[in-house]
Amino acid sequence: MPKDTLFPTHRVDFWSELDELDRSGDLEESDEEAEAFDRSIQQEVEAKRVKRHERPERPIDEEEAGLLPIVDEDQLGLTASSHQALPSFHASQILFHSTPKQLRDLSTLPSVDTPLDDTPGATESHQPAGVLDTPENIASPIDTPSSSSRRLTGTGEGRGRRDDPATPVPLGTEAFKNLKGKKDFQTLTKHFELFSKGISKDVTANNANVKGKGKAKAQKSDSMLIAGLGGRVLEGLRFCVPPELGQVGKHKQRWDIISKLGGQVVLQPDTSITHIIYDGRSQIALARELGLKSLSELPEGTVCVRWDWVVQCKLAGRLLDTSQFLSFPKTFTKMISAKAVPATRRLADITSLLSRGTSDSDTESPVKRPRIPSSAIPAIPRPDVFATTRTKKPFLNPWRSELKIVPTVDTVHALPKGPGWKFGKGDDRDDLDDILSALKDGTIYEEECFTSARGMPYCCYHHVVIAHYIRSQSANPDSRGDRFKCGQDHDGTERSTNAGPNEWLAKKFEDLHDMYLGVQGKNQFAIRQYQQGELFFPSCCTPWIITSGKDARRIKGVGQSIADRIDEFISGEPGRAYYEDTEKARIVAVLKDVYGVGETFANELYKRGARSIRDLKEKDFGLTPGQNIGVELYEDLNTRIPREECRAIYELIASKARAIDPKIWVEIMGSYRRGQEDSGDVDILITRDTDDGLTHEGLLKSLVIGLKENGVITHDLSVPSQWDALEAKWMGVGKVPGGRYRRIDILCIPFDQWGAALIYFTGNISDILCLKQFNRSLRLYARKKGYSLNQRGLYVGVIRDKGGLKMTEGEFAVITKTEQEIFDVLGLRWRHPHLRRP
DNA sequence: TGGCAATACTG
DNA sequence: CAGTAT
DNA sequence: GCCA
């Protein structure tokens, strides 16, 4: 029986990854529960229709179970008369504060426990499901000599003899003998010999180069110029870069980088190597490649790391903990013998050499680790975004095959609910599903998928969705905060690490994007392209490790320019990104964050001498009323809104609206409806069932007035041209009593456009960083099929002229009371809002 | 080389 | 209309 | 800036 399900049951396809999340969250809904929940939703929809005072918005089952403290309107001060009762109101105190666990069972997305701020030693016993590891559990001998010995019981690899680098004994000679006959290998070794001879002069040249260039902008604290520095971080380490036939170019580049960083490079493993660069996954394959029976023949303490560890050390300018870059993270315990750790002579040498003057104050490890002191590096001050060992948040290794997606939201506000929620049928299948399953079973490849991303919008969307899940699971609840350029708050040190192999690139492009927002004359599409860059590099989109710009051009959307930037980042040669990163650009970008200040005016302000938000507050720049509000409330408005607070604001508005007209429908949209843990603003949608011949005309005005009276709404930013139109938009600022000022939008929607509006405003458009992916995709897709979709509805027969201007409005294709109707007409499966994220 | 979503409010 | 917003 |  094809019953309606809350969650469309997906077929075995990419969505199964999301389903996996469902299962792993140990909060799986049983059928009965699902039905019960469906019933409650239905009842709730019904409840919306009944008279006032019935508190129709509350899902029935929550009340029945007695899980929720009932929010009494009077208690909350929702009525105009009693708002003095509010001073100490805090959303979190009233909403669900005490019963998160049970409530989560009602959530539409499964949840995991909130990451615990454990002490390192305690993490093992109770890691949240789906968390593979925490940095604390991983160690490498080089980085953490004795902390690792606490729990790592060495078995297997890396137990061989270690010699001084001066007297290495080759290992695994067999395999290399076999390779010798091959032409590729000969080429490789020839290049290697040439390379070895050229090392010494390169190094000195590079060093001089680095110092000269670093100096010029060092004090500017921009993170653009860090690339390519790194000094001699790999000094004293010996790297085996196993030959991969046909990869001469790649190898040359790697040899070069390693040796410029002071490391030694060898092709064949020997008894002195400290690291093996290996991007593959199989220990057995690696051992075979090296001509070893087992990796345990390697000298003790040898670490197998992926190439990106080197890249990031270079970028960071210091030796990073290898834990997140191990080639075999799942089996790391076997790779490292606790006993192997005691320093060999070489390590001891490094330690004593390098620990001179180091206080190691910036590490949380209880054990002092031998690390390059910052003084040893021609250091350039920079945000410590690569300090991967700092975070105690659960660490996940998402690009591995054992990918587990952890839900991002402790959704306490059960969604979906309310009118307009129609549930997809589990058996539906749409174009996107086809693409995804084809991807899954290998019929098409990822590259193709990217290639057709424009034409097959969902495909692109899919990647973005997965990306988001992965991004935010390792992120903590306030992860969105780091996406703000909010002056002082933004020092970058508390960023959670996304352990994707190319995450550093995403970070670079995020930064580049931020900066380009302040570059005058930069085409907005160009800027967006860089923003795209952020999305390309999370591991789910790009499961391989990007080693060059050319490599990255495989990705649809990465062209010459982006590729050049990547090369720039990798090589460290100051290029365009470096030279365009001016003080002006950064300042203009900040000025642009003020509400009502855009590119043009921000540049004008700069020209007139404004350099900071404070300047705007103190001097008179002839700001408009709206801009003044933006300046005045700059800090608040640029702070993310926690989910509970969104809900609290919604409740305040909704009850006021219902007080005016009990038949009113009020929904909260935007990122909240998509299930995000925080939002940039609060989007409220309002309509009214017209079955009794009445409409919500005129409601908005009294609503806003009423909310102003009880202090919920504090400022207007833009008001509807016609307050009493069926379609009217109010934009402004409000707050919960005692809370921060928040951007609030209230929109009135004609009843028969409710569905389209739900889609339109659920799409991530209100999310400040979003790419409008869902909306855009859906619209493009609709257009391809000859439809046109806007927030009012789905049209057919829209003809466009060359300029894309609509020649005819077309006509309504569907009455769009529900989202489902639009998805139906388009032949698409309804998607849960939580899956519509950027 | 054109198009990149589409529309509303401010001043 | 340009600029800014969603 | 990227793509068709």
Side-chain angles (χ1 to χ4, degrees):
Chain A
M1 159 186 116
K3 79 179 172 74
D4 284 0
T5 52
L6 188 56
F7 255 110
T9 32
H10 309 305
R11 308 216 170 184
V12 183
D13 57 25
F14 252 73
W15 295 98
S16 63
E17 290 176 357
L18 292 172
D19 291 345
E20 175 62 29
L21 156 172
D22 216 355
R23 286 189 290 276
S24 69
D26 81 11
L27 289 168
E28 190 185 6
E29 266 182 332
S30 71
D31 282 354
E32 304 91 84
E33 281 168 342
E35 281 171 27
F37 190 68
D38 279 354
R39 262 198 315 277
S40 76
I41 299 296
Q42 304 256 327
Q43 287 173 23
E44 193 191 344
V45 173
E46 272 313 303
K48 289 260 178 184
R49 302 170 178 275
V50 297
K51 302 185 170 70
R52 67 187 299 186
H53 304 315
E54 293 227 11
R55 211 185 323 282
E57 78 284 8
R58 181 85 44 205
I60 301 303
D61 55 353
E62 290 179 8
E63 283 188 9
E64 283 173 349
L67 299 175
L68 284 180
I70 302 305
V71 182
D72 187 274
E73 293 190 0
D74 290 330
Q75 243 179 330
L76 266 177
L78 299 175
T79 53
S81 59
S82 62
H83 77 273
Q84 286 115 321
L86 286 181
S88 64
F89 168 72
H90 245 282
S92 56
Q93 290 170 350
I94 296 180
L95 301 169
F96 325 118
H97 55 109
S98 57
T99 53
K101 183 76 180 90
Q102 292 114 305
L103 284 167
R104 277 204 295 274
D105 293 335
L106 303 171
S107 151
T108 50
L109 266 188
S111 313
V112 289
D113 293 322
T114 311
L116 297 161
D117 228 355
D118 292 325
T119 53
T123 48
E124 284 160 323
S125 52
H126 55 280
Q127 280 180 10
V131 175
L132 302 182
D133 250 315
T134 65
E136 291 77 25
N137 289 343
I138 312 176
S140 82
I142 301 294
D143 298 308
T144 53
S146 33
S147 65
S148 59
S149 64
R150 280 182 295 138
R151 64 178 83 83
L152 298 181
T153 52
T155 55
E157 295 80 5
R159 311 195 62 178
R161 184 180 95 215
R162 173 173 290 281
D163 286 337
D164 187 280
T167 58
V169 178
L171 292 169
T173 45
E174 276 308 311
F176 286 83
K177 269 186 203 146
N178 296 338
L179 281 172
K180 271 190 178 140
K182 304 216 169 163
K183 205 177 151 204
D184 278 348
F185 183 70
Q186 289 165 5
T187 330
L188 192 70
T189 44
K190 195 171 145 207
H191 279 283
F192 186 72
E193 281 166 29
L194 285 172
F195 158 80
S196 304
K197 284 177 195 151
I199 284 181
S200 47
K201 63 170 188 273
D202 273 1
V203 167
T204 41
N206 178 63
N207 241 15
N209 190 23
V210 160
K211 283 201 164 169
K213 282 180 177 158
K215 194 102 184 209
K217 274 202 173 183
Q219 64 278 60
K220 281 196 52 190
S221 86
D222 46 338
S223 50
M224 232 69 251
L225 56 109
I226 51 142
L229 302 177
R232 311 265 300 161
V233 285
L234 302 185
E235 186 92 62
L237 304 180
R238 189 175 171 93
F239 291 81
C240 173
V241 186
E244 287 171 66
L245 300 187
Q247 300 278 333
V248 177
K250 185 169 98 180
H251 278 75
K252 281 171 81 172
Q253 196 186 356
R254 293 184 172 188
W255 300 334
D256 192 48
I257 290 176
I258 291 173
S259 69
K260 279 180 179 169
L261 291 170
Q264 298 175 30
V265 190
V266 294
L267 278 180
Q268 181 174 356
D270 58 41
T271 51
S272 300
I273 59 170
T274 60
H275 292 76
I276 291 182
I277 302 295
Y278 181 65
D279 291 335
R281 296 187 182 191
S282 159
Q283 299 189 41
I284 296 165
L286 175 61
R288 196 178 333 123
E289 207 175 303
L290 297 172
L292 304 171
K293 281 202 212 83
S294 141
L295 294 183
S296 65
E297 291 175 44
L298 294 168
E300 56 185 2
T302 306
V303 197
C304 300
V305 288
R306 300 191 315 270
W307 172 246
D308 53 314
W309 176 75
V310 175
V311 173
Q312 299 213 26
C313 288
K314 181 176 163 68
L315 291 164
R318 61 183 179 84
L319 274 187
L320 298 171
D321 188 74
T322 52
S323 57
Q324 301 197 26
F325 303 94
L326 296 174
S327 307
F328 317 111
K330 287 284 275 187
T331 50
F332 66 93
T333 52
K334 291 185 194 158
M335 284 186 53
I336 302 158
S337 159
K339 288 181 225 110
V341 167
T344 61
R345 185 156 23 124
R346 191 201 61 78
L347 289 174
D349 287 347
I350 297 174
T351 311
S352 60
L353 177 75
L354 298 176
S355 59
R356 207 182 331 126
T358 324
S359 64
D360 236 0
S361 56
D362 60 342
T363 173
E364 291 172 6
S365 167
V367 181
K368 185 166 170 156
R369 5 183 125 170
R371 278 200 345 204
I372 306 265
S374 47
S375 59
I377 302 163
I380 301 295
R382 56 180 299 271
D384 197 10
V385 292
F386 294 104
T388 54
T389 55
R390 283 168 165 268
T391 175
K392 288 186 185 173
K393 306 293 183 211
F395 164 67
L396 191 84
N397 215 350
W399 67 95
R400 297 279 155 189
S401 52
E402 58 270 25
L403 171 107
K404 282 245 170 83
I405 301 172
V406 180
T408 68
V409 186
D410 261 349
T411 311
V412 287
H413 181 184
L415 289 174
K417 64 191 214 65
W421 289 92
K422 267 280 197 165
F423 302 110
K425 299 227 176 24
D427 287 345
D428 286 353
R429 189 174 179 78
D430 62 28
D431 293 357
L432 177 55
D433 289 318
D434 291 336
I435 297 169
L436 296 177
S437 38
L439 199 58
K440 184 75 171 182
D441 66 24
T443 322
I444 61 170
Y445 296 98
E446 197 130 11
E447 284 86 349
E448 282 180 47
C449 183
F450 275 114
T451 307
S452 53
R454 283 282 162 97
M456 306 283 210
Y458 272 126
C459 188
C460 178
Y461 159 59
H462 157 77
H463 280 83
V464 179
V465 166
I466 305 281
H468 184 78
Y469 268 89
I470 290 170
R471 273 171 165 276
S472 38
Q473 54 73 27
S474 70
N476 45 59
D478 29 318
S479 64
R480 303 293 295 182
D482 69 25
R483 304 187 151 257
F484 275 85
K485 304 175 285 295
C486 183
Q488 304 87 322
D489 297 338
H490 182 74
D491 62 7
T493 52
E494 286 305 320
R495 285 178 189 225
S496 55
T497 307
N498 255 326
N502 305 307
E503 187 59 32
W504 69 279
L505 274 179
K507 286 253 162 57
K508 300 294 285 181
F509 276 91
E510 182 183 342
D511 187 50
L512 200 52
H513 170 248
D514 284 352
M515 189 266 289
Y516 277 159
L517 287 172
V519 174
Q520 192 171 24
K522 180 111 359 200
N523 176 328
Q524 76 163 101
F525 295 106
I527 294 174
R528 199 176 70 197
Q529 212 62 45
Y530 282 98
Q531 195 182 21
Q532 286 282 102
E534 288 175 48
L535 293 178
F536 296 149
F537 304 122
S539 42
C540 44
C541 304
T542 317
W544 75 94
I545 294 167
I546 294 172
T547 51
S548 68
K550 192 161 167 249
D551 186 16
R553 287 207 61 169
R554 289 155 61 188
I555 304 166
K556 175 85 168 181
V558 174
Q560 191 55 55
S561 187
I562 301 262
D564 287 348
R565 299 293 87 72
I566 291 175
D567 283 336
E568 210 176 307
F569 293 149
I570 291 179
S571 75
E573 297 298 323
R576 254 193 47 191
Y578 173 81
Y579 293 109
E580 289 182 339
D581 186 16
T582 62
E583 188 185 61
K584 178 183 176 192
R586 296 284 176 177
I587 289 176
V588 169
V590 170
L591 297 179
K592 241 175 77 168
D593 278 350
V594 175
Y595 182 90
V597 176
E599 146 133 29
T600 308
F601 194 54
N603 278 287
E604 173 68 17
L605 285 171
Y606 185 88
K607 207 163 74 184
R608 290 200 232 149
R611 291 294 180 273
S612 65
I613 301 303
R614 176 187 295 215
D615 287 350
L616 298 185
K617 283 181 180 165
E618 290 170 356
K619 296 176 204 158
D620 181 14
F621 287 96
L623 303 182
T624 67
Q627 289 163 343
N628 275 321
I629 295 171
V631 170
E632 187 189 336
L633 308 178
Y634 179 84
E635 299 293 337
D636 278 5
L637 297 188
N638 284 317
T639 306
R640 303 286 303 181
I641 312 171
R643 191 172 172 80
E644 322 85 74
E645 192 178 335
C646 287
R647 163 115 196 227
I649 292 175
Y650 162 76
E651 297 288 357
L652 290 165
I653 295 175
S655 42
K656 173 60 73 179
R658 290 193 200 100
I660 296 167
D661 181 349
K663 287 200 69 172
I664 213 73
W665 288 10
V666 186
E667 281 299 316
I668 178 166
M669 310 299 295
S671 42
Y672 184 94
R673 191 178 186 231
R674 291 199 305 275
Q676 278 181 208
E677 61 271 40
D678 54 22
S679 310
D681 64 359
V682 181
D683 284 316
I684 306 287
L685 233 54
I686 288 176
T687 194
R688 187 190 190 280
D689 196 337
T690 52
D691 56 2
D692 59 3
L694 299 177
T695 68
H696 56 267
E697 274 172 4
L699 178 121
L700 183 58
K701 186 161 190 176
S702 28
L703 178 62
V704 169
I705 289 174
L707 289 169
K708 276 180 182 167
E709 278 170 6
N710 66 14
V712 173
I713 282 179
T714 55
H715 305 260
D716 293 321
L717 287 169
S718 100
V719 295
S721 47
Q722 291 176 276
W723 279 92
D724 46 7
L726 272 182
E727 188 185 338
K729 178 168 77 171
W730 174 89
M731 287 158 47
V733 178
K735 61 183 171 69
V736 293
R740 284 173 176 268
Y741 289 94
R742 307 297 193 181
R743 279 280 297 105
I744 297 175
D745 294 339
I746 303 178
L747 295 104
C748 291
I749 304 291
F751 187 65
D752 57 2
Q753 296 171 9
W754 186 243
L758 283 179
I759 289 182
Y760 184 81
F761 293 105
T762 302
N764 40 27
I765 55 164
S766 60
D767 186 346
I768 55 147
L769 266 196
C770 77
L771 292 182
K772 309 168 185 69
Q773 204 66 50
F774 187 79
N775 270 329
R776 184 172 306 193
S777 300
L778 195 53
R779 253 192 292 264
L780 282 170
Y781 186 69
R783 197 149 88 172
K784 225 182 140 201
K785 289 200 163 193
Y787 300 106
S788 163
L789 178 69
N790 63 18
Q791 73 267 47
R792 284 198 270 281
L794 184 65
Y795 298 81
V796 284
V798 174
I799 302 168
R800 286 164 194 278
D801 65 12
K802 276 189 198 156
L805 294 170
K806 269 184 269 194
M807 303 289 285
T808 70
E809 252 310 298
E811 46 190 291
F812 269 119
V814 283
I815 301 298
T816 49
K817 262 184 204 165
T818 68
E819 293 186 314
Q820 179 71 50
E821 290 165 303
I822 291 177
F823 282 96
D824 280 349
V825 170
L826 293 174
L828 295 172
R829 192 188 66 213
W830 180 87
R831 270 168 224 287
H832 190 282
H834 287 196
L835 301 180
R836 299 182 204 172
R837 305 193 216 193

